[in-house]
Amino acid sequence: MRGIVRALPALVSLGALVFTLGGPAPAADVPAVPISRATPTRLMPLGDSNTAGGDAVGAAYRADLWQLLRADGRPVDFVGSVNSGPAGVLGDRDHEGHGGWTIGQIQDNVSAWLTTYRPDVITLQIGTNDMYDDTSAGAAPDKLARLIDTITSTLPDVQLFVANLPQLADPNHYARVAAFNYTIPGIVAASAANGRHVHYVDANSGLFQPYDFVDMWHPNYGAASKAAIRWYGALTGVPITRFEAEQTANATVTNAKRVTIASASGGAKIGYIDYPDSSVTFRFQVGSAGTYRIRARGANGMGSVCSHHVSANGGPPATVSYPSYSWDLLGESAVDLPLNAGANTVKFTKGDCYTELDAIDVSPVPVA
């Protein structure tokens, strides 16, 4: 049996939401990150420390976004002058996230980065460091509009995705963030109306203080994972829903244990799935019958590939395999299963060695 995992301080879990999958996907052009491409899509994560990673892992949303894209087999090349983040769980560590930088500082450097790295896609989240006082916050919308214009003028064919900011603990700072966030969709729409390939991403409205943050400014690793789902959906046009393994509204746990840890997206994961009768059984509904991709977010610190057996509605088991990163670093591993229209159960049981289960991310199998 594996050793006891290191438990970090517990977070309060958010209440579970009810989703129905399998309805029509949102209208979209060709996905910014297609599954099949002769050369990898060049993607530049651009912003401040919430791109570089102010969380303990030091990768922000980049780690889980890369994992999600990898689970689909989408060829992506992250690009930028900075290289940071955990090796393994983040297989491509290049980016343009600069801790403490304002919109103006990104503006002063972005043209050189764009001409050097020539990204096809940019994920932009910037402005948190402009929220320190009323004067800089008030100037932020015009600065963001100018930055978007610079990016799209330098690379007219680039697909630019612009996110809102996470809320902050201090009431004055958060009031400025809320006011700035309110302007971003309009700024993006104005640029799109001028023929630019600019898209708004609500990446951060699902994060709540104090449960998802390491400090006033930075989402933790688990919260950044939730933001990564929204980035993934925007980039691919594939609707995706997360179900937390430790939340009783989503799953039933048998002969296994809830482990509190900040790297889990809901503040906890299910460990000790160690015995033949150990299981985590998810219950959810989908809108139509078909094959769905189940991405399991798991932690494996065994030093070798481990697995779970997974079955849908009592059918024959498939195997989902997890690379070994650590008990605190979580990776997404995918398996495709047939689901029924309406209610479904997806059951995880012990496979080879040991992996802890944080959540599953469910979507129709991507086709583009």
Side-chain angles (χ1 to χ4, degrees):
M1 179 182 289
R2 59 175 168 76
I4 297 175
V5 299
R6 177 169 60 88
L8 300 180
L11 301 180
V12 178
S13 299
L14 301 178
L17 301 178
V18 178
F19 296 89
T20 299
L21 301 176
D29 297 327
V30 174
V33 182
I35 289 179
S36 299
R37 185 179 167 97
T39 58
T41 300
R42 296 170 64 82
L43 191 155
M44 177 181 284
L46 176 62
D48 51 34
S49 57
N50 284 326
T51 296
D55 55 308
V57 170
Y61 68 84
R62 295 182 293 120
D64 272 66
L65 178 59
W66 186 84
Q67 289 281 338
L68 288 163
L69 297 171
R70 181 193 62 83
D72 279 354
R74 296 178 188 268
V76 178
D77 178 16
F78 283 11
V79 298
S81 62
V82 184
N83 184 279
S84 67
V89 70
L90 179 55
D92 190 336
R93 305 175 348 137
D94 297 329
H95 63 95
E96 288 294 354
H98 298 269
W101 281 33
T102 64
I103 300 172
Q105 288 172 297
I106 297 293
Q107 171 72 40
D108 292 343
N109 292 273
V110 72
S111 294
W113 296 330
L114 298 180
T115 54
T116 298
Y117 296 103
R118 311 295 298 183
D120 305 301
V121 178
I122 297 171
T123 55
L124 173 64
Q125 181 177 307
I126 190 64
T128 295
N129 296 300
D130 296 84
M131 299 294 113
Y132 282 102
D133 59 56
D134 291 342
T135 300
S136 60
D142 286 342
K143 290 182 178 181
L144 178 63
R146 181 183 172 212
L147 176 59
I148 290 173
D149 184 64
T150 298
I151 292 170
T152 56
S153 297
T154 304
L155 294 179
D157 293 331
V158 76
Q159 295 284 346
L160 174 60
F161 293 80
V162 184
N164 57 353
L165 303 183
Q167 69 183 63
L168 305 176
D170 179 84
N172 291 327
H173 287 143
Y174 180 57
R176 298 184 192 111
V177 168
F180 177 57
N181 280 346
Y182 184 79
T183 70
I184 296 175
I187 294 169
V188 169
S191 182
N194 288 328
R196 303 302 191 184
H197 308 295
V198 186
H199 318 271
Y200 173 69
V201 183
D202 177 10
N204 292 297
S205 65
L207 309 184
F208 300 95
Q209 281 282 4
Y211 314 119
D212 289 322
F213 285 68
V214 294
D215 56 29
M216 187 174 69
W217 304 102
H218 302 108
N220 63 30
Y221 176 33
S225 172
K226 293 187 285 189
I229 294 173
R230 298 187 179 193
W231 281 113
Y232 169 90
L235 294 173
T236 64
V238 177
I240 188 169
T241 302
R242 172 161 292 182
F243 298 96
E244 298 287 351
E246 80 283 356
Q247 293 182 358
T248 57
N250 295 334
T252 300
V253 178
T254 302
N255 200 16
K257 297 180 181 179
R258 187 180 191 273
V259 178
T260 57
I261 187 167
S263 58
S265 67
K269 58 189 175 181
I270 301 301
Y272 302 94
I273 310 171
D274 293 354
Y275 307 101
D277 62 342
S278 297
S279 64
V280 181
T281 303
F282 292 89
R283 304 174 306 279
F284 55 88
Q285 297 193 17
V286 299
S288 59
T291 304
Y292 285 73
R293 181 150 295 166
I294 313 296
R295 304 164 186 84
R297 189 173 192 254
N300 169 13
M302 294 297 296
S304 61
V305 174
C306 298
S307 66
H308 287 139
H309 300 308
V310 190
S311 61
N313 301 311
T319 299
V320 59
S321 297
Y322 306 88
S324 180
Y325 301 128
S326 81
W327 297 118
D328 294 337
L329 294 175
L330 290 94
E332 296 257 2
S333 298
V335 62
D336 295 344
L337 295 174
L339 299 181
N340 302 324
N344 291 268
T345 60
V346 172
K347 185 175 183 178
F348 285 71
T349 57
K350 184 184 181 305
D352 292 332
C353 53
Y354 306 101
T355 299
E356 298 169 330
L357 186 60
D358 175 27
I360 60 171
D361 298 321
V362 182
S363 78
V365 173
V367 295

